[in-house]
Amino acid sequence: MADKQFIKGAVTGVLCVSLVLGGGYVGLQKAGRAGSNVLSDVAVTQKIKYLEDIIDQNYLEDVDEDSLKEGIYTGLLYGLGDPYSRYYTEEEYEEEMRDTEGSYSGIGVSITQNTEGGILVVDCYEGSPADEAGLKANDVITAVNGTDVTEMTPAEVSKMIREKEDGTSILTVYHQEADEPEEITVTLSDVELPTVSYEMLEDSIGYLRITEFTMVTPQQFEDAYKDLQAKGMEKLIVDLRDNPGGVLSSVCDVLRQILPEGLIVYTEDKYGEKQEMKCDGDTPIDIPLAVLVNENSASASEIFAGAVKDYEIGTIVGTTTYGKGIVQSIRQLSDGSAVKLTTAKYFTPKGNDIHKVGITPDVEVKLDASLLNRTDYTHDEDNQLQAAIEAVSRVKRF
């Protein structure tokens, strides 16, 4: 699941969300710069029409014209050769926004297809409607409101639950090693996806892990940070390993809670126009700090690590980061669809361009080979975490 999450997030990267609503499909174009003329090329339109005729005359199955149109739009963006730019249908855009916002109307579970039929509960978020109703990770859902779902996809099951008129669904669930199913009643509610987890380690070291930067992350970070302070935290480790990135404003809002006054990051578009994100420095961190990163720490995670490194307020520990120093913007069109394009590069406070380069840690430590295919290792076994503990323990503040 961690690999899938990284791949999805890395494609999102550092995201700026902007909306272009109404007025048809009017794009933004700078004066004096020619736009793309691909679809105004007569040869192109003739070829598309010719391909349509071939499909009409020879394709065996029925043709969905709406799907063909969506395919043309998708192909236009695919032609850029940029893995970070893409076209979204209205439904895909809504799903992307739910992930970006970090909150949605649901029951608070992560699900996938069960290999033996049904829907497997991968995770059940603490305090969610599903958690309070008794659903657990590794449960298998076989029916929703009496309808068998063993042959359905997770998307179809999610839709069934979300679109129930009264917001309440009865799930038929098999718990692990149970012989008989249990019927569990769950009610839709506003669910906030957890992106921050934390605990106090020995020697008053706070450990705070951020899995992704969504719109809810800054508040979750603030709550965790304050709780650790209230518990007597004297040193802090922020774990960004396998964090694929997220929303630009989110990572900036997190950094504003620990940085001194000054520049956080700046972006530059194709016209050389810059946008600076700054910190007023009201609450600079005053305890030893280490930031854990690895080769899967990308985009927004690299903005975090880059700012910490440039201001020399902490030690970067782990392996060189992914190296994604570009920003994507999403623009919604008047029909509900959307397009995501790479629109700018970003630079660390000192002006470093880390795209395809990454951020080199101050203390380079590879994860022990014996742990590479494991997800259940302890803090004591985690040699990268132990190196971070050693790094914050060496720092003396007076």
Side-chain angles (χ1 to χ4, degrees):
M1 290 300 295
D3 289 342
K4 289 172 67 179
Q5 176 66 17
F6 170 73
I7 292 168
K8 176 185 178 300
V11 170
T12 298
V14 178
L15 183 66
C16 293
V17 180
S18 55
L19 305 181
V20 179
L21 298 171
Y25 306 99
V26 179
L28 301 179
Q29 183 175 318
K30 294 281 182 176
R33 185 180 179 91
S36 172
N37 295 309
V38 173
L39 295 182
S40 62
D41 186 325
V42 174
V44 172
T45 56
Q46 288 178 339
K47 186 171 183 178
I48 291 175
K49 183 63 174 67
Y50 181 64
L51 292 173
E52 261 193 314
D53 291 341
I54 292 176
I55 291 170
D56 288 342
Q57 295 168 16
N58 298 282
Y59 184 61
L60 178 64
E61 306 294 344
D62 292 334
V63 175
D64 185 329
E65 289 190 1
D66 288 337
S67 295
L68 283 182
K69 293 175 185 175
E70 301 290 358
I72 292 173
Y73 310 144
T74 299
L76 186 63
L77 273 295
Y78 178 80
L80 294 174
D82 177 10
Y84 308 113
S85 296
R86 61 163 294 186
Y87 168 81
Y88 294 93
T89 65
E90 182 176 5
E91 294 75 17
E92 290 170 340
Y93 174 71
E94 290 174 353
E95 182 67 28
E96 178 70 16
M97 287 302 96
R98 279 196 292 270
D99 292 341
T100 299
E101 291 167 3
S103 61
Y104 66 101
S105 178
I107 63 172
V109 292
S110 173
I111 59 177
T112 189
Q113 201 83 49
N114 187 43
T115 54
E116 297 177 2
I119 300 298
L120 178 68
V121 177
V122 177
D123 195 9
C124 187
Y125 308 133
E126 185 177 352
S128 68
D131 178 43
E132 293 176 354
L135 214 60
K136 298 178 176 61
N138 297 313
D139 284 349
V140 176
I141 303 170
T142 58
V144 175
N145 300 317
T147 300
D148 186 282
V149 298
T150 53
E151 300 298 323
M152 291 187 182
T153 66
E156 290 170 333
V157 173
S158 295
K159 187 176 181 180
M160 284 180 65
I161 296 172
R162 284 199 311 269
E163 296 184 352
K164 185 73 161 44
E165 285 188 6
D166 63 359
T168 300
S169 293
I170 300 174
L171 310 182
T172 303
V173 176
Y174 280 87
H175 298 298
Q176 263 192 317
E177 301 177 358
D179 295 326
E180 298 295 328
E182 178 185 359
E183 290 194 341
I184 294 178
T185 302
V186 292
T187 303
L188 286 177
S189 180
D190 290 332
V191 176
E192 188 172 290
L193 298 175
T195 60
V196 175
S197 58
Y198 68 100
E199 62 184 288
M200 186 71 82
L201 306 180
E202 293 180 359
D203 299 324
S204 301
I205 298 174
Y207 172 78
L208 195 154
R209 180 177 177 84
I210 305 175
T211 57
E212 188 175 2
F213 289 96
T214 69
M215 299 301 288
V216 300
T217 304
Q219 187 60 56
Q220 291 181 1
F221 179 90
E222 180 180 344
D223 293 341
Y225 191 49
K226 287 182 177 178
D227 193 35
L228 288 170
Q229 288 176 318
K231 292 177 178 176
M233 175 177 64
E234 297 177 1
K235 313 171 189 70
L236 175 64
I237 296 171
V238 176
D239 191 346
L240 300 178
R241 289 176 296 178
D242 299 317
N243 181 320
V247 183
L248 178 60
S249 63
S250 173
V251 66
C252 290
D253 284 343
V254 170
L255 283 166
R256 287 186 179 101
Q257 300 178 49
I258 63 170
L259 285 184
E261 182 179 5
L263 187 64
I264 300 172
V265 65
Y266 69 91
T267 63
E268 186 173 331
D269 67 14
K270 66 194 293 182
Y271 307 104
E273 294 185 1
K274 295 182 180 180
Q275 181 180 3
E276 296 182 339
M277 275 58 76
K278 296 181 178 180
C279 176
D280 56 20
D282 286 343
T283 56
I285 192 167
D286 59 359
I287 59 175
L289 169 68
V291 179
L292 272 168
V293 296
N294 65 6
E295 61 278 5
N296 291 336
S297 302
S299 53
S301 296
E302 294 172 293
I303 289 176
F304 189 106
V308 169
K309 187 168 186 176
D310 280 6
Y311 279 105
E312 299 180 355
I313 62 170
T315 304
I316 312 300
V317 180
T319 54
T320 300
T321 59
Y322 186 78
K324 183 175 183 296
I326 49 179
V327 180
Q328 283 70 49
S329 297
I330 289 185
R331 301 181 185 276
Q332 187 181 22
L333 308 181
S334 57
D335 63 353
S337 64
V339 59
K340 179 168 70 176
L341 289 174
T342 298
T343 54
K345 298 186 75 171
Y346 75 77
F347 299 84
T348 70
K350 289 186 176 181
N352 295 317
D353 177 2
I354 60 91
H355 192 55
K356 296 185 178 180
V357 176
I359 293 174
T360 303
D362 302 306
V363 178
E364 187 163 2
V365 183
K366 292 183 179 180
L367 188 67
D368 190 275
S370 65
L371 305 179
L372 290 177
N373 295 317
R374 291 176 53 190
T375 58
D376 59 344
Y377 49 85
T378 66
H379 287 337
D380 288 338
E381 294 175 299
D382 186 345
N383 63 302
Q384 289 180 320
L385 175 58
Q386 292 304 312
I389 291 173
E390 182 179 344
V392 294
S393 299
R394 283 198 305 264
V395 178
K396 303 298 181 184
R397 295 281 171 89
F398 298 95

Short mmCIF file of all heavy atoms in Angstrom, two decimals, residues 22-78:
data_model
loop_
_atom_site.label_atom_id
_atom_site.label_comp_id
_atom_site.label_asym_id
_atom_site.label_seq_id
_atom_site.Cartn_x
_atom_site.Cartn_y
_atom_site.Cartn_z
N GLY A 22 -17.07 28.38 -15.87
CA GLY A 22 -17.94 29.14 -16.75
C GLY A 22 -17.20 29.63 -17.98
O GLY A 22 -16.01 29.44 -18.16
N GLY A 23 -17.96 30.24 -18.89
CA GLY A 23 -17.33 30.84 -20.06
C GLY A 23 -16.74 29.84 -21.01
O GLY A 23 -15.80 30.14 -21.74
N GLY A 24 -17.26 28.62 -21.02
CA GLY A 24 -16.75 27.61 -21.93
C GLY A 24 -15.36 27.17 -21.56
O GLY A 24 -15.05 26.99 -20.40
N TYR A 25 -14.49 27.02 -22.57
CA TYR A 25 -13.17 26.46 -22.34
C TYR A 25 -12.10 27.48 -22.68
O TYR A 25 -11.12 27.21 -23.36
CB TYR A 25 -12.99 25.20 -23.18
CG TYR A 25 -14.08 24.20 -22.96
CD1 TYR A 25 -15.14 24.11 -23.85
CD2 TYR A 25 -14.08 23.41 -21.83
CE1 TYR A 25 -16.16 23.21 -23.64
CE2 TYR A 25 -15.10 22.51 -21.62
CZ TYR A 25 -16.15 22.41 -22.53
OH TYR A 25 -17.16 21.52 -22.31
N VAL A 26 -12.30 28.68 -22.21
CA VAL A 26 -11.35 29.75 -22.51
C VAL A 26 -10.07 29.53 -21.75
O VAL A 26 -10.08 29.42 -20.53
CB VAL A 26 -11.95 31.13 -22.15
CG1 VAL A 26 -10.94 32.23 -22.46
CG2 VAL A 26 -13.23 31.35 -22.94
N GLY A 27 -8.95 29.45 -22.43
CA GLY A 27 -7.67 29.23 -21.77
C GLY A 27 -6.99 30.55 -21.44
O GLY A 27 -7.45 31.62 -21.80
N LEU A 28 -5.86 30.46 -20.77
CA LEU A 28 -5.08 31.63 -20.43
C LEU A 28 -3.85 31.66 -21.34
O LEU A 28 -3.09 30.71 -21.39
CB LEU A 28 -4.64 31.56 -18.96
CG LEU A 28 -5.78 31.49 -17.95
CD1 LEU A 28 -5.21 31.40 -16.54
CD2 LEU A 28 -6.69 32.70 -18.06
N GLN A 29 -3.67 32.77 -22.06
CA GLN A 29 -2.55 32.86 -23.00
C GLN A 29 -1.92 34.24 -22.93
O GLN A 29 -2.62 35.24 -22.95
CB GLN A 29 -3.04 32.56 -24.42
CG GLN A 29 -1.92 32.56 -25.46
CD GLN A 29 -2.45 32.15 -26.81
OE1 GLN A 29 -3.25 31.25 -26.92
NE2 GLN A 29 -2.01 32.83 -27.84
N LYS A 30 -0.62 34.26 -22.81
CA LYS A 30 0.09 35.53 -22.76
C LYS A 30 0.11 36.18 -24.15
O LYS A 30 0.24 35.50 -25.17
CB LYS A 30 1.53 35.30 -22.29
CG LYS A 30 1.62 34.81 -20.86
CD LYS A 30 1.45 35.95 -19.89
CE LYS A 30 1.60 35.46 -18.46
NZ LYS A 30 1.53 36.53 -17.48
N ALA A 31 -0.02 37.49 -24.16
CA ALA A 31 0.04 38.22 -25.42
C ALA A 31 1.39 38.02 -26.08
O ALA A 31 2.41 38.03 -25.41
CB ALA A 31 -0.22 39.71 -25.17
N GLY A 32 1.36 37.83 -27.38
CA GLY A 32 2.62 37.73 -28.11
C GLY A 32 3.20 36.33 -28.15
O GLY A 32 4.24 36.11 -28.74
N ARG A 33 2.51 35.35 -27.52
CA ARG A 33 3.03 33.99 -27.55
C ARG A 33 2.00 33.10 -28.22
O ARG A 33 0.85 33.02 -27.79
CB ARG A 33 3.32 33.47 -26.15
CG ARG A 33 3.98 32.09 -26.15
CD ARG A 33 4.24 31.60 -24.74
NE ARG A 33 4.85 30.28 -24.74
CZ ARG A 33 6.13 30.05 -24.75
NH1 ARG A 33 6.98 31.07 -24.77
NH2 ARG A 33 6.62 28.83 -24.75
N ALA A 34 2.38 32.41 -29.27
CA ALA A 34 1.44 31.58 -30.01
C ALA A 34 1.02 30.38 -29.17
O ALA A 34 1.81 29.80 -28.45
CB ALA A 34 2.09 31.10 -31.31
N GLY A 35 -0.26 30.01 -29.30
CA GLY A 35 -0.76 28.84 -28.60
C GLY A 35 -0.60 27.60 -29.46
O GLY A 35 -0.10 27.65 -30.59
N SER A 36 -1.10 26.47 -28.95
CA SER A 36 -1.05 25.23 -29.71
C SER A 36 -2.09 25.27 -30.83
O SER A 36 -3.21 25.72 -30.63
CB SER A 36 -1.33 24.05 -28.77
OG SER A 36 -1.46 22.87 -29.51
N ASN A 37 -1.71 24.80 -32.02
CA ASN A 37 -2.62 24.81 -33.17
C ASN A 37 -2.91 23.41 -33.68
O ASN A 37 -3.33 23.24 -34.82
CB ASN A 37 -2.01 25.65 -34.30
CG ASN A 37 -1.90 27.12 -33.92
OD1 ASN A 37 -2.86 27.71 -33.47
ND2 ASN A 37 -0.71 27.69 -34.10
N VAL A 38 -2.70 22.41 -32.83
CA VAL A 38 -2.84 21.03 -33.28
C VAL A 38 -4.23 20.75 -33.82
O VAL A 38 -4.41 20.22 -34.92
CB VAL A 38 -2.52 20.07 -32.12
CG1 VAL A 38 -2.84 18.63 -32.52
CG2 VAL A 38 -1.04 20.18 -31.74
N LEU A 39 -5.26 21.13 -33.08
CA LEU A 39 -6.62 20.78 -33.48
C LEU A 39 -7.18 21.69 -34.57
O LEU A 39 -8.26 21.43 -35.09
CB LEU A 39 -7.54 20.79 -32.25
CG LEU A 39 -7.20 19.72 -31.20
CD1 LEU A 39 -8.19 19.76 -30.05
CD2 LEU A 39 -7.17 18.34 -31.82
N SER A 40 -6.47 22.77 -34.89
CA SER A 40 -6.89 23.60 -36.02
C SER A 40 -6.22 23.17 -37.32
O SER A 40 -6.49 23.72 -38.39
CB SER A 40 -6.58 25.08 -35.74
OG SER A 40 -5.19 25.27 -35.59
N ASP A 41 -5.37 22.16 -37.22
CA ASP A 41 -4.70 21.61 -38.40
C ASP A 41 -5.71 20.74 -39.15
O ASP A 41 -6.23 19.76 -38.61
CB ASP A 41 -3.49 20.79 -37.95
CG ASP A 41 -2.65 20.30 -39.12
OD1 ASP A 41 -3.23 19.99 -40.19
OD2 ASP A 41 -1.43 20.19 -38.96
N VAL A 42 -6.01 21.09 -40.38
CA VAL A 42 -7.01 20.36 -41.17
C VAL A 42 -6.66 18.88 -41.28
O VAL A 42 -7.52 18.00 -41.19
CB VAL A 42 -7.14 20.98 -42.58
CG1 VAL A 42 -8.08 20.14 -43.45
CG2 VAL A 42 -7.66 22.40 -42.48
N ALA A 43 -5.39 18.57 -41.45
CA ALA A 43 -4.97 17.18 -41.59
C ALA A 43 -5.29 16.38 -40.33
O ALA A 43 -5.66 15.20 -40.41
CB ALA A 43 -3.47 17.11 -41.89
N VAL A 44 -5.18 17.02 -39.17
CA VAL A 44 -5.47 16.34 -37.91
C VAL A 44 -6.96 16.03 -37.79
O VAL A 44 -7.36 14.92 -37.46
CB VAL A 44 -5.00 17.19 -36.70
CG1 VAL A 44 -5.48 16.57 -35.39
CG2 VAL A 44 -3.49 17.32 -36.70
N THR A 45 -7.79 17.04 -38.06
CA THR A 45 -9.24 16.82 -37.96
C THR A 45 -9.71 15.79 -38.99
O THR A 45 -10.60 14.99 -38.71
CB THR A 45 -10.00 18.14 -38.15
OG1 THR A 45 -9.63 18.74 -39.40
CG2 THR A 45 -9.68 19.10 -37.02
N GLN A 46 -9.11 15.81 -40.17
CA GLN A 46 -9.48 14.81 -41.18
C GLN A 46 -9.09 13.41 -40.74
O GLN A 46 -9.83 12.44 -40.95
CB GLN A 46 -8.80 15.15 -42.52
CG GLN A 46 -9.40 16.35 -43.23
CD GLN A 46 -8.67 16.67 -44.53
OE1 GLN A 46 -7.51 16.26 -44.72
NE2 GLN A 46 -9.34 17.40 -45.42
N LYS A 47 -7.92 13.30 -40.09
CA LYS A 47 -7.48 11.99 -39.62
C LYS A 47 -8.39 11.46 -38.52
O LYS A 47 -8.72 10.27 -38.49
CB LYS A 47 -6.03 12.06 -39.12
CG LYS A 47 -5.44 10.71 -38.75
CD LYS A 47 -3.95 10.81 -38.49
CE LYS A 47 -3.35 9.44 -38.19
NZ LYS A 47 -1.89 9.50 -37.99
N ILE A 48 -8.79 12.37 -37.60
CA ILE A 48 -9.71 11.95 -36.54
C ILE A 48 -11.02 11.46 -37.14
O ILE A 48 -11.57 10.43 -36.73
CB ILE A 48 -9.96 13.11 -35.56
CG1 ILE A 48 -8.68 13.41 -34.77
CG2 ILE A 48 -11.11 12.78 -34.61
CD1 ILE A 48 -8.79 14.62 -33.86
N LYS A 49 -11.53 12.20 -38.14
CA LYS A 49 -12.77 11.78 -38.81
C LYS A 49 -12.59 10.45 -39.51
O LYS A 49 -13.49 9.57 -39.45
CB LYS A 49 -13.19 12.84 -39.84
CG LYS A 49 -14.51 12.54 -40.54
CD LYS A 49 -15.66 12.51 -39.54
CE LYS A 49 -17.01 12.36 -40.25
NZ LYS A 49 -17.17 11.05 -40.91
N TYR A 50 -11.44 10.23 -40.13
CA TYR A 50 -11.18 8.97 -40.81
C TYR A 50 -11.14 7.81 -39.81
O TYR A 50 -11.70 6.73 -40.06
CB TYR A 50 -9.86 9.06 -41.57
CG TYR A 50 -9.49 7.81 -42.33
CD1 TYR A 50 -10.27 7.37 -43.39
CD2 TYR A 50 -8.36 7.08 -41.99
CE1 TYR A 50 -9.95 6.22 -44.09
CE2 TYR A 50 -8.02 5.93 -42.69
CZ TYR A 50 -8.82 5.51 -43.73
OH TYR A 50 -8.50 4.37 -44.42
N LEU A 51 -10.50 8.05 -38.67
CA LEU A 51 -10.45 7.02 -37.63
C LEU A 51 -11.85 6.70 -37.11
O LEU A 51 -12.18 5.55 -36.84
CB LEU A 51 -9.54 7.46 -36.48
CG LEU A 51 -8.06 7.56 -36.80
CD1 LEU A 51 -7.29 8.17 -35.62
CD2 LEU A 51 -7.48 6.20 -37.15
N GLU A 52 -12.68 7.75 -36.97
CA GLU A 52 -14.07 7.54 -36.55
C GLU A 52 -14.79 6.63 -37.53
O GLU A 52 -15.55 5.74 -37.13
CB GLU A 52 -14.80 8.88 -36.47
CG GLU A 52 -14.91 9.45 -35.07
CD GLU A 52 -15.91 10.59 -35.03
OE1 GLU A 52 -15.87 11.46 -35.90
OE2 GLU A 52 -16.74 10.60 -34.10
N ASP A 53 -14.60 6.89 -38.82
CA ASP A 53 -15.26 6.08 -39.85
C ASP A 53 -14.81 4.62 -39.78
O ASP A 53 -15.62 3.70 -39.93
CB ASP A 53 -14.96 6.65 -41.24
CG ASP A 53 -15.64 8.00 -41.49
OD1 ASP A 53 -16.60 8.30 -40.76
OD2 ASP A 53 -15.18 8.73 -42.39
N ILE A 54 -13.52 4.41 -39.56
CA ILE A 54 -13.00 3.05 -39.44
C ILE A 54 -13.66 2.33 -38.26
O ILE A 54 -14.05 1.16 -38.35
CB ILE A 54 -11.47 3.06 -39.29
CG1 ILE A 54 -10.80 3.54 -40.58
CG2 ILE A 54 -10.94 1.67 -38.90
CD1 ILE A 54 -9.29 3.67 -40.48
N ILE A 55 -13.77 3.06 -37.13
CA ILE A 55 -14.41 2.48 -35.95
C ILE A 55 -15.86 2.12 -36.25
O ILE A 55 -16.33 1.01 -35.95
CB ILE A 55 -14.32 3.47 -34.76
CG1 ILE A 55 -12.88 3.61 -34.29
CG2 ILE A 55 -15.22 3.00 -33.60
CD1 ILE A 55 -12.66 4.72 -33.29
N ASP A 56 -16.60 3.07 -36.87
CA ASP A 56 -18.01 2.83 -37.19
C ASP A 56 -18.19 1.61 -38.08
O ASP A 56 -19.13 0.82 -37.90
CB ASP A 56 -18.60 4.06 -37.87
CG ASP A 56 -18.80 5.22 -36.92
OD1 ASP A 56 -18.81 4.98 -35.70
OD2 ASP A 56 -18.94 6.37 -37.40
N GLN A 57 -17.30 1.44 -39.02
CA GLN A 57 -17.46 0.38 -40.01
C GLN A 57 -16.93 -0.98 -39.54
O GLN A 57 -17.40 -2.02 -40.01
CB GLN A 57 -16.75 0.77 -41.31
CG GLN A 57 -17.35 1.99 -42.00
CD GLN A 57 -16.46 2.53 -43.10
OE1 GLN A 57 -15.54 1.86 -43.56
NE2 GLN A 57 -16.73 3.78 -43.52
N ASN A 58 -15.97 -0.99 -38.62
CA ASN A 58 -15.29 -2.24 -38.32
C ASN A 58 -15.30 -2.68 -36.86
O ASN A 58 -15.12 -3.88 -36.59
CB ASN A 58 -13.82 -2.13 -38.77
CG ASN A 58 -13.69 -1.90 -40.27
OD1 ASN A 58 -13.82 -2.82 -41.06
ND2 ASN A 58 -13.44 -0.65 -40.64
N TYR A 59 -15.49 -1.76 -35.93
CA TYR A 59 -15.39 -2.14 -34.52
C TYR A 59 -16.54 -3.05 -34.12
O TYR A 59 -17.72 -2.75 -34.42
CB TYR A 59 -15.35 -0.90 -33.64
CG TYR A 59 -15.14 -1.20 -32.18
CD1 TYR A 59 -14.00 -1.85 -31.73
CD2 TYR A 59 -16.12 -0.86 -31.24
CE1 TYR A 59 -13.82 -2.13 -30.39
CE2 TYR A 59 -15.95 -1.14 -29.89
CZ TYR A 59 -14.79 -1.78 -29.47
OH TYR A 59 -14.62 -2.06 -28.15
N LEU A 60 -16.23 -4.14 -33.45
CA LEU A 60 -17.22 -5.18 -33.15
C LEU A 60 -18.27 -4.74 -32.16
O LEU A 60 -19.46 -4.99 -32.34
CB LEU A 60 -16.50 -6.43 -32.62
CG LEU A 60 -17.39 -7.61 -32.21
CD1 LEU A 60 -18.15 -8.15 -33.42
CD2 LEU A 60 -16.54 -8.71 -31.57
N GLU A 61 -17.86 -4.07 -31.09
CA GLU A 61 -18.77 -3.75 -30.00
C GLU A 61 -19.46 -2.40 -30.21
O GLU A 61 -19.12 -1.64 -31.13
CB GLU A 61 -17.99 -3.73 -28.67
CG GLU A 61 -17.19 -4.99 -28.38
CD GLU A 61 -18.06 -6.22 -28.16
OE1 GLU A 61 -19.27 -6.05 -27.93
OE2 GLU A 61 -17.52 -7.34 -28.23
N ASP A 62 -20.42 -2.11 -29.32
CA ASP A 62 -21.08 -0.82 -29.38
C ASP A 62 -20.09 0.28 -28.98
O ASP A 62 -19.18 0.06 -28.19
CB ASP A 62 -22.28 -0.78 -28.42
CG ASP A 62 -23.39 -1.71 -28.88
OD1 ASP A 62 -23.47 -1.98 -30.10
OD2 ASP A 62 -24.18 -2.17 -28.02
N VAL A 63 -20.29 1.46 -29.53
CA VAL A 63 -19.39 2.58 -29.27
C VAL A 63 -20.09 3.61 -28.38
O VAL A 63 -21.22 4.00 -28.65
CB VAL A 63 -18.95 3.26 -30.58
CG1 VAL A 63 -18.12 4.50 -30.29
CG2 VAL A 63 -18.16 2.28 -31.44
N ASP A 64 -19.41 4.01 -27.32
CA ASP A 64 -19.89 5.08 -26.45
C ASP A 64 -19.22 6.37 -26.91
O ASP A 64 -18.03 6.58 -26.72
CB ASP A 64 -19.52 4.77 -24.98
CG ASP A 64 -20.10 5.78 -24.01
OD1 ASP A 64 -20.24 6.96 -24.40
OD2 ASP A 64 -20.39 5.41 -22.86
N GLU A 65 -20.02 7.26 -27.52
CA GLU A 65 -19.43 8.48 -28.08
C GLU A 65 -18.82 9.38 -27.01
O GLU A 65 -17.79 10.03 -27.25
CB GLU A 65 -20.50 9.25 -28.87
CG GLU A 65 -20.90 8.55 -30.17
CD GLU A 65 -21.78 9.43 -31.05
OE1 GLU A 65 -22.05 10.58 -30.64
OE2 GLU A 65 -22.15 8.97 -32.14
N ASP A 66 -19.44 9.42 -25.84
CA ASP A 66 -18.88 10.24 -24.76
C ASP A 66 -17.49 9.74 -24.36
O ASP A 66 -16.58 10.54 -24.10
CB ASP A 66 -19.81 10.23 -23.54
CG ASP A 66 -21.07 11.04 -23.78
OD1 ASP A 66 -21.04 11.93 -24.65
OD2 ASP A 66 -22.08 10.79 -23.10
N SER A 67 -17.34 8.41 -24.33
CA SER A 67 -16.03 7.84 -23.99
C SER A 67 -14.98 8.16 -25.05
O SER A 67 -13.81 8.41 -24.74
CB SER A 67 -16.14 6.31 -23.82
OG SER A 67 -16.96 5.99 -22.71
N LEU A 68 -15.40 8.18 -26.32
CA LEU A 68 -14.47 8.54 -27.39
C LEU A 68 -14.00 9.99 -27.22
O LEU A 68 -12.82 10.30 -27.40
CB LEU A 68 -15.14 8.37 -28.76
CG LEU A 68 -15.27 6.95 -29.30
CD1 LEU A 68 -15.91 6.99 -30.68
CD2 LEU A 68 -13.91 6.26 -29.38
N LYS A 69 -14.93 10.87 -26.87
CA LYS A 69 -14.56 12.27 -26.66
C LYS A 69 -13.57 12.40 -25.51
O LYS A 69 -12.57 13.12 -25.60
CB LYS A 69 -15.81 13.11 -26.37
CG LYS A 69 -16.77 13.23 -27.55
CD LYS A 69 -18.04 13.97 -27.13
CE LYS A 69 -19.06 13.99 -28.26
NZ LYS A 69 -20.34 14.61 -27.81
N GLU A 70 -13.87 11.71 -24.40
CA GLU A 70 -12.97 11.76 -23.25
C GLU A 70 -11.59 11.23 -23.64
O GLU A 70 -10.56 11.73 -23.17
CB GLU A 70 -13.53 10.95 -22.08
CG GLU A 70 -14.89 11.39 -21.57
CD GLU A 70 -14.87 12.73 -20.87
OE1 GLU A 70 -13.78 13.33 -20.73
OE2 GLU A 70 -15.95 13.21 -20.46
N GLY A 71 -11.57 10.23 -24.50
CA GLY A 71 -10.30 9.68 -24.95
C GLY A 71 -9.47 10.68 -25.74
O GLY A 71 -8.24 10.71 -25.64
N ILE A 72 -10.15 11.50 -26.55
CA ILE A 72 -9.44 12.53 -27.32
C ILE A 72 -8.82 13.55 -26.37
O ILE A 72 -7.66 13.94 -26.52
CB ILE A 72 -10.41 13.23 -28.30
CG1 ILE A 72 -10.83 12.25 -29.40
CG2 ILE A 72 -9.74 14.46 -28.92
CD1 ILE A 72 -11.92 12.79 -30.32
N TYR A 73 -9.60 13.99 -25.36
CA TYR A 73 -9.08 14.97 -24.41
C TYR A 73 -7.89 14.39 -23.64
O TYR A 73 -6.88 15.06 -23.43
CB TYR A 73 -10.16 15.41 -23.43
CG TYR A 73 -11.47 15.82 -24.07
CD1 TYR A 73 -12.69 15.55 -23.46
CD2 TYR A 73 -11.49 16.49 -25.30
CE1 TYR A 73 -13.89 15.92 -24.04
CE2 TYR A 73 -12.69 16.87 -25.89
CZ TYR A 73 -13.89 16.58 -25.25
OH TYR A 73 -15.07 16.94 -25.82
N THR A 74 -8.06 13.14 -23.23
CA THR A 74 -6.98 12.47 -22.48
C THR A 74 -5.73 12.37 -23.33
O THR A 74 -4.61 12.62 -22.86
CB THR A 74 -7.43 11.07 -22.04
OG1 THR A 74 -8.58 11.19 -21.19
CG2 THR A 74 -6.32 10.34 -21.28
N GLY A 75 -5.92 12.00 -24.59
CA GLY A 75 -4.78 11.84 -25.49
C GLY A 75 -4.04 13.14 -25.75
O GLY A 75 -2.81 13.15 -25.92
N LEU A 76 -4.77 14.26 -25.80
CA LEU A 76 -4.13 15.55 -26.03
C LEU A 76 -3.14 15.86 -24.93
O LEU A 76 -2.01 16.30 -25.19
CB LEU A 76 -5.19 16.65 -26.11
CG LEU A 76 -4.69 18.04 -26.49
CD1 LEU A 76 -4.09 18.05 -27.89
CD2 LEU A 76 -5.82 19.06 -26.40
N LEU A 77 -3.54 15.62 -23.67
CA LEU A 77 -2.63 15.86 -22.55
C LEU A 77 -1.51 14.82 -22.51
O LEU A 77 -0.37 15.13 -22.16
CB LEU A 77 -3.41 15.85 -21.23
CG LEU A 77 -4.04 17.18 -20.78
CD1 LEU A 77 -2.97 18.20 -20.48
CD2 LEU A 77 -5.01 17.73 -21.81
N TYR A 78 -1.84 13.58 -22.87
CA TYR A 78 -0.84 12.51 -22.89
C TYR A 78 0.28 12.86 -23.88
O TYR A 78 1.45 12.53 -23.66
CB TYR A 78 -1.50 11.19 -23.29
CG TYR A 78 -0.56 10.03 -23.40
CD1 TYR A 78 -0.11 9.35 -22.25
CD2 TYR A 78 -0.10 9.60 -24.65
CE1 TYR A 78 0.76 8.27 -22.36
CE2 TYR A 78 0.78 8.52 -24.76
CZ TYR A 78 1.20 7.87 -23.61
OH TYR A 78 2.07 6.81 -23.72
#
